[in-house]
Amino acid sequence: AGAMHGFLIFVALFQVCLTHMHKGSHDHEDDHEFVCKQCKQPLGVQNKIFEFPSVGAVSKYNVTLFDELVEVQRLRNPHGYHFDVIVMNEAWCKSANSQKELSDSWFPGYTWNIQVCSHCHQHLGWHFESVDVQSKDWPPSHFFGIIYDRIEPVESLLKKINLTSHKHWNS
């Protein structure tokens, strides 16, 4: 069981490294990445998070990610489900369908469609796109609302692997 555990850790790290190399378009080598909590597929980087308030926010709170405060908005859909969401201008996920919805948008003037992990297909959030064609940077022409509890900072994953490996070596 120990050898299999070590192999799985190696595979997870290898996948993160390969995907990071494949993305290759990062501006900074020290960007902190987020992964899908379910399958560890890379999803985005910390410097792509920004604040964009929703009129549909039931509440807001801050969390610390990589030593920086990040705003999380609690949003409620028409069916009564709550989602704690962070806003990013770039995320590496895919659309669950090509249909864009305008009704019930948490961000008026933006269509939305559901986004899933490109690897395990877990629902990760939504892509929002402005109905107005814009040439300026603000307000954004598009962005992602990512469900906070469905992502994990890579640093946390590496710490878990390090702690698990260290525990295994000492037993």
Side-chain angles (χ1 to χ4, degrees), residues 88-152:
M88 302 178 73
N89 61 12
E90 181 181 309
W92 308 319
C93 43
K94 68 178 189 176
S95 178
N97 61 40
S98 59
Q99 184 176 349
K100 296 176 183 178
E101 300 285 340
L102 185 57
S103 62
D104 301 318
S105 180
W106 291 313
F107 300 90
Y110 287 84
T111 60
W112 58 272
N113 67 356
I114 293 174
Q115 298 289 300
V116 297
C117 176
S118 61
H119 186 257
C120 72
H121 305 287
Q122 173 178 236
H123 174 213
L124 295 173
W126 302 265
H127 179 247
F128 294 90
E129 191 171 330
S130 176
V131 294
D132 296 324
V133 177
Q134 301 172 342
S135 60
K136 54 188 177 192
D137 290 338
W138 197 260
S141 60
H142 73 96
F143 59 91
F144 295 84
I146 302 296
I147 303 169
Y148 175 66
D149 68 357
R150 301 206 182 153
I151 62 172
E152 180 176 352

Side-chain angles (χ1 to χ4, degrees), residues 75-93:
L75 305 171
R76 181 180 180 270
N77 72 11
H79 305 289
Y81 295 102
H82 289 91
F83 298 94
D84 289 1
V85 172
I86 61 172
V87 176
M88 302 178 73
N89 61 12
E90 181 181 309
W92 308 319
C93 43

